[in-house]
Amino acid sequence: MSSWLSSTNAKEIGTLYLIFALFSGMLGTAFSVLIRIELSSPGVQFLQGDHQLFNVIITAHAFLMSAPFHCPVLKETFGRF
């Protein structure tokens, strides 16, 4: 495992980027599902009225889907292959 994490082979680095991007994408999708559950009907549904947590989930979703998901998939993974 440590030899793969410290590798200089471009294809192994691209694979690690892809694994990291898939993990970030799944976490961002889970945040998106939470947002959609909360906004599915008027009033409080899932987050028990914690508006600060709702704001944090929206911000985390935006960060996870833009920086670690889209950038590594488009630039790093396919560029290294």
Side-chain angles (χ1 to χ4, degrees):
M1 179 62 105
S2 66
S3 66
W4 199 25
L5 292 176
S6 63
S7 175
T8 57
N9 184 0
K11 288 191 178 186
E12 290 179 359
I13 293 172
T15 304
L16 289 174
Y17 271 118
L18 184 63
I19 291 169
F20 176 66
L22 289 176
F23 177 74
S24 297
M26 288 190 301
L27 195 58
T29 303
F31 285 149
S32 175
V33 168
L34 282 175
I35 293 167
R36 290 175 188 269
I37 288 172
E38 186 64 31
L39 296 176
S40 64
S41 22
V44 176
Q45 269 73 32
F46 190 71
L47 298 177
Q48 308 297 321
D50 191 356
H51 304 297
Q52 175 65 29
L53 180 60
F54 183 73
N55 290 338
V56 168
I57 288 173
I58 287 179
T59 305
H61 165 75
F63 175 74
L64 282 172
M65 294 306 276
S66 63
F69 181 67
H70 291 148
C71 292
V73 168
L74 295 177
K75 293 179 185 175
E76 299 297 330
T77 303
F78 296 122
R80 293 196 186 270
F81 280 116

